[in-house]
Amino acid sequence: MNPIDRLLRTTLVERAPTEGEIERIDTRYREGIRANARTRTHTVWSRLVIVAAVVVALVAAAVVIQATRPATVSASLQEIAYAASVVDVSTLGSGDYYYTESTSTDLVVGSVPGSEEHIAYLIPESRRVWVSRTGTFVIEATLHAPVFFDDDSRALYYRNGMDVGDRIGLTTVTAQSSTHTALKQDWPTDPDALARAIRAKPSVQTDTDVVNFALNLIRESPASPQLRAATVLVLANLHLRVVDRTETNTTFETIPTGQDDSIIRFELRNDGQLLRIQTRTVDGFPSLGIPAGFAISDANYGPTALVEEVATSSQ
């Protein structure tokens, strides 16, 4: 466990940071970005010195997230951003691939062969992802037995061989020629500039869209500490609420407007690692028996670390 993570897991402050402290944290982060842009070459020793200095600063500035007294959403995300700016995933191991394991459950609406009938069910998936330093990636995915809402749907599904079409129980390995979102372009690491770049995307229309896009930047990601921190600060300027808080993690949720058909709930570790994304439908799908607020997608991510090679189960 790296020193920052150990500190965040074991140390709690007794009060929420003041507005002045939050402003100083934000200023220090932005100054750090500018300084990092001027010098990008560091030795292993200098990294250790920087990490040690930041540990002291985190305690002195009271920026470790506390579980007992919640701060505002913006303050919580600024604390996480500051820690994320000094935790470099590329130092957590050695090798050329950023490796992440995850499990998820997704709602599927399938057409019953030979009829106009549709059935809804949930498919659990386990997934392993290797992202190269250039952003290309390999995905190993296994789809597991579906979860049904009623016995009739289960019977229809298996009687019509829909499990074969869904490739249930099979493990597939896919080499993606596309590039991870974090490396598709030279994203700005100034939070305001990054927010403008995200909102310029045609697919981004609402704050919920901004959240989705921002989380894609840091999901199973080779994002630099500066980009990860800037992404968290983009989230800090959106209309969110805190759902849950522990010593090590905080869960946030979007507040839907009339334009949104979904609610995004996401969990961040105190160092900016993304741990969970859940998407819930606002209105549901009454014709399929799916109620409002139902989780149509729920993914849990392990920490990203650097590994030497791609090692799929088929190798």
Side-chain angles (χ1 to χ4, degrees):
M1 185 181 297
N2 65 77
I4 294 292
D5 191 46
R6 185 180 298 110
L7 175 71
L8 295 174
R9 286 176 180 271
T10 59
T11 307
L12 296 178
V13 297
E14 297 182 352
R15 62 176 177 82
T18 66
E19 291 300 320
E21 288 170 335
I22 292 168
E23 184 177 350
R24 288 195 295 274
I25 293 166
D26 188 53
T27 299
R28 189 178 304 154
Y29 163 74
R30 293 172 187 269
E31 289 174 347
I33 289 177
R34 290 192 291 269
N36 188 71
R38 291 192 296 269
T39 170
R40 298 295 298 271
T41 304
H42 301 281
T43 64
V44 173
W45 172 250
S46 65
R47 283 197 185 102
L48 293 175
V49 171
I50 291 171
V51 168
V54 169
V55 169
V56 175
L58 284 171
V59 176
V63 296
V64 178
I65 291 183
Q66 70 293 145
T68 54
R69 299 184 183 181
T72 65
V73 171
S74 179
S76 296
L77 286 165
Q78 288 191 55
E79 294 166 356
I80 293 171
Y82 185 66
S85 71
V86 296
V87 178
D88 191 347
V89 175
S90 67
T91 66
L92 306 181
S94 61
D96 294 323
Y97 295 92
Y98 296 85
Y99 175 71
T100 311
E101 295 183 1
S102 66
T103 58
S104 64
T105 303
D106 295 287
L107 177 69
V108 176
V109 178
S111 300
V112 178
S115 75
E116 296 182 356
E117 191 170 2
H118 293 80
I119 57 175
Y121 49 96
L122 300 168
I123 291 188
E125 178 184 12
S126 54
R127 170 174 160 125
R128 304 166 71 202
V129 176
W130 294 261
V131 182
S132 72
R133 290 182 182 272
T134 60
T136 58
F137 47 101
V138 174
I139 299 174
E140 178 186 275
T142 305
L143 299 181
H144 303 284
V147 177
F148 297 92
F149 297 99
D150 55 69
D151 291 338
D152 289 341
S153 295
R154 178 192 298 274
L156 274 174
Y157 182 84
Y158 286 109
R159 186 167 62 244
N160 287 277
M162 295 173 68
D163 56 321
V164 177
D166 284 339
R167 303 177 67 84
I168 299 300
L170 298 180
T171 297
T172 59
V173 178
T174 306
Q176 300 283 348
S177 58
S178 57
T179 304
H180 192 285
T181 305
L183 298 180
K184 276 187 176 179
Q185 66 184 71
D186 187 16
W187 296 100
T189 53
D190 174 79
D192 296 333
L194 179 59
R196 289 193 296 271
I198 292 174
R199 290 189 181 276
K201 297 295 180 181
S203 62
V204 177
Q205 302 294 324
T206 68
D207 277 4
T208 299
D209 294 335
V210 174
V211 171
N212 265 323
F213 197 99
L215 294 179
N216 277 333
L217 287 174
I218 60 175
R219 179 173 64 93
E220 301 168 330
S221 177
S224 68
Q226 294 75 29
L227 179 57
R228 190 177 298 272
T231 301
V232 174
L233 287 176
V234 167
L235 296 171
N237 290 322
L238 301 177
H239 198 201
L240 306 172
R241 59 184 162 213
V242 173
V243 176
D244 188 33
R245 186 192 305 270
T246 70
E247 294 182 10
T248 57
N249 313 325
T250 306
T251 302
F252 304 89
E253 184 177 80
T254 60
I255 300 174
T257 65
Q259 295 178 284
D260 295 311
D261 57 9
S262 62
I263 297 169
I264 309 300
R265 180 175 292 187
F266 61 96
E267 182 178 358
L268 294 175
R269 202 169 69 177
N270 292 353
D271 62 359
Q273 286 265 2
L274 179 64
L275 298 179
R276 185 182 185 187
I277 305 176
Q278 182 189 80
T279 303
R280 293 186 290 132
T281 173
V282 172
D283 299 321
F285 304 97
S287 63
L288 296 170
I290 307 299
F294 187 82
I296 59 177
S297 178
D298 197 346
N300 292 272
Y301 301 93
T304 297
L306 214 59
V307 297
E308 296 284 351
E309 60 183 2
V310 174
T312 64
S313 57
S314 61
Q315 292 178 316

